[in-house]
Amino acid sequence: MAEEGSLDVGVFGPVWTAGWQWPWAVVLALMLGLNFLLAADRIWLGGAILLGGPALAAAGVRAVNRRAADALETGATRARRAAAADTPGDATVHSLRAGTGSVPGLDPSKRYELTNLTVGERALRVHEGAEVDLFTTSWTVADGATEFPYDRLAAVTHEDGELRIGLVDGSSRTYPADRVPRDLLADVTERIRAERRDAAVAR
């Protein structure tokens, strides 16, 4: 079942928004400030905007860089729990992340695409369509998942920022992953080997 929720980043909304859009905030402040200062002859208001706009942007950048990592971890954890709600207790759940929408001067990306993979007894279950949006402070999990029985898997590898699931029929599926999921790769590789050993014994 699809789910969604919000994240509490502990930052005043306009400050958080200004941090993500700091180049536009600075440009807007310069335009408005100079307009009031030079064209409208409102020196105090123009000066306040010229000083306040960049100050708000700087505070926002600082807040985003300090708090985004915790917000991402919280959103990813909630999305993983929602995706693994019907997972058997003996299964292992792993998560992949891929950031999109980078902003100069900010460490995190605006959005992170999530893929949750459940390593079960007989199959690898892939639940894609989850996302953490740090700009709007929200997370979502789409409905549905794909299962790959271990006897259909040839290999699972990480190449060029993607997790590649190779199937015995020669086809493959890829999922974006910023980091190498070493625990997942080791877990799935062992399951594939065990499946092959069992098949050899059965013969």
Side-chain angles (χ1 to χ4, degrees):
M1 183 176 183
E3 292 189 41
E4 60 183 21
S6 60
L7 299 170
D8 182 9
V9 295
V11 177
F12 185 46
V15 175
W16 186 258
T17 301
W20 286 108
Q21 298 182 323
W22 73 266
W24 296 108
V26 171
V27 169
L28 183 61
L30 289 175
M31 291 176 58
L32 286 176
L34 290 175
N35 180 63
F36 282 115
L37 190 65
L38 302 176
D41 198 27
R42 301 180 68 175
I43 297 175
W44 292 108
L45 180 57
I49 294 175
L50 285 174
L51 294 175
L56 178 64
V61 168
R62 187 165 53 249
V64 168
N65 282 333
R66 286 181 177 178
R67 297 178 180 268
D70 289 340
L72 173 59
E73 194 61 39
T74 298
T77 298
R78 292 178 182 174
R80 182 169 59 250
R81 287 176 181 168
D86 58 348
T87 300
D90 59 346
T92 305
V93 181
H94 301 270
S95 293
L96 308 179
R97 300 176 187 174
T100 59
S102 61
V103 178
L106 297 181
D107 298 329
S109 299
K110 280 186 178 181
R111 288 170 297 280
Y112 285 83
E113 182 180 346
L114 308 177
T115 305
N116 294 300
L117 302 99
T118 302
V119 181
E121 183 178 355
R122 292 297 175 188
L124 174 65
R125 185 171 184 260
V126 181
H127 192 134
E128 54 185 324
E131 181 183 80
V132 174
D133 191 322
L134 293 177
F135 177 59
T136 62
T137 61
S138 64
W139 61 270
T140 57
V141 174
D143 194 13
T146 305
E147 285 198 353
F148 299 96
Y150 297 123
D151 60 3
R152 288 182 53 207
L153 297 180
V156 178
T157 58
H158 183 273
E159 303 171 4
D160 300 324
E162 291 183 327
L163 181 80
R164 180 180 179 276
I165 298 178
L167 305 179
V168 294
D169 64 4
S171 62
S172 64
R173 296 283 298 274
T174 57
Y175 303 91
D178 287 343
R179 299 178 182 177
V180 180
R182 301 187 188 282
D183 292 342
L184 167 67
L185 295 177
D187 200 356
V188 175
T189 300
E190 180 56 35
R191 298 278 184 163
I192 295 174
R193 288 174 179 169
E195 183 68 28
R196 289 175 181 170
R197 286 195 300 266
D198 292 344
V201 170
R203 291 173 192 161

